[in-house]
Amino acid sequence: MKLARPTTLLAGILAGQLVLLSAPVALASPASAVVTPSGTSVSAAASSYGESAFDATNQQREKRDRRALGKNTCLRKYAVRQARKMANRQDIWHQDLGKILDDCRLSWVGENVAAGFPSGRAVVNDGWMGSPDHRENLLAKKFRLMTVAARKGDDGRWYAAQVFGKRA
């Protein structure tokens, strides 16, 4: 496995304020393509990455007496779009969280993004949980919903977007 400088970013909208911070990230593996029921092509590895990150997040929350977060299709749309864009550009940044807040009819929204972690478990346990600000988003009691999407860039690195929310 090649080592790349791992990268993570955290953002959240709390009472209308955008919070943006950065910290460190790692790398990835090959993916095989599958077609989802909606007819879109997604790699099996990308689906597995996102699911394992989702599960690892809820495991971290449950260890700390936080409720497990549920899935949300509106948040998923934004996480997938962000992961795809970051992988295509081989860079990480935050999307417009205000748009998610409005479109998904939420009262709170937050986002963690990362690049270079080899698995969904690694991005959660070694990346976001290792950064106080990312960990805060991940463990926040106010959130009730979450999704994680990942895509692999041409550089061989995984790009992940984790989006949190709470209904209005």
Side-chain angles (χ1 to χ4, degrees):
M1 173 169 95
K2 294 180 189 176
L3 290 179
R5 182 162 184 248
T7 314
T8 60
L9 287 175
L10 160 82
I13 291 184
L14 308 174
Q17 290 186 316
L18 175 65
V19 179
L20 177 63
L21 304 160
S22 65
V25 196
L27 261 191
S29 64
S32 59
V34 295
V35 176
T36 65
S38 66
T40 58
S41 178
V42 176
S43 78
S47 293
S48 176
Y49 191 109
E51 282 299 316
S52 68
F54 184 90
D55 292 343
T57 296
N58 276 331
Q59 287 168 3
Q60 290 291 347
R61 290 179 63 83
E62 288 167 6
K63 282 183 199 176
R64 290 157 183 87
D65 296 322
R66 304 293 196 275
R67 87 170 28 172
L69 299 173
K71 295 181 181 181
N72 178 276
T73 55
C74 187
L75 291 179
R76 175 120 187 103
K77 171 179 73 173
Y78 285 99
V80 167
R81 184 180 301 159
Q82 182 66 8
R84 185 181 309 121
K85 285 180 180 179
M86 292 187 308
N88 288 341
R89 295 183 193 163
Q90 298 174 19
D91 193 12
I92 62 173
W93 69 92
H94 287 287
Q95 59 190 310
D96 178 359
L97 298 180
K99 184 173 180 169
I100 299 170
L101 197 71
D102 293 339
D103 189 36
C104 298
R105 295 185 178 103
L106 301 171
S107 57
W108 293 93
V109 65
E111 178 180 59
N112 291 339
V113 297
F117 287 94
S119 70
R121 291 207 175 282
V123 75
V124 171
N125 298 329
D126 303 333
W128 294 324
M129 286 300 290
S131 162
D133 295 312
H134 294 89
R135 179 185 173 112
E136 185 177 332
N137 250 1
L138 203 138
L139 299 176
K141 289 182 179 181
K142 68 182 161 276
F143 292 129
R144 297 289 185 261
L145 306 167
M146 180 260 304
T147 192
V148 183
R151 293 296 182 268
K152 198 170 188 183
D154 288 340
D155 59 357
R157 295 174 57 166
W158 282 105
Y159 293 82
Q162 180 177 49
V163 184
F164 302 93
K166 180 180 179 189
R167 290 259 178 237

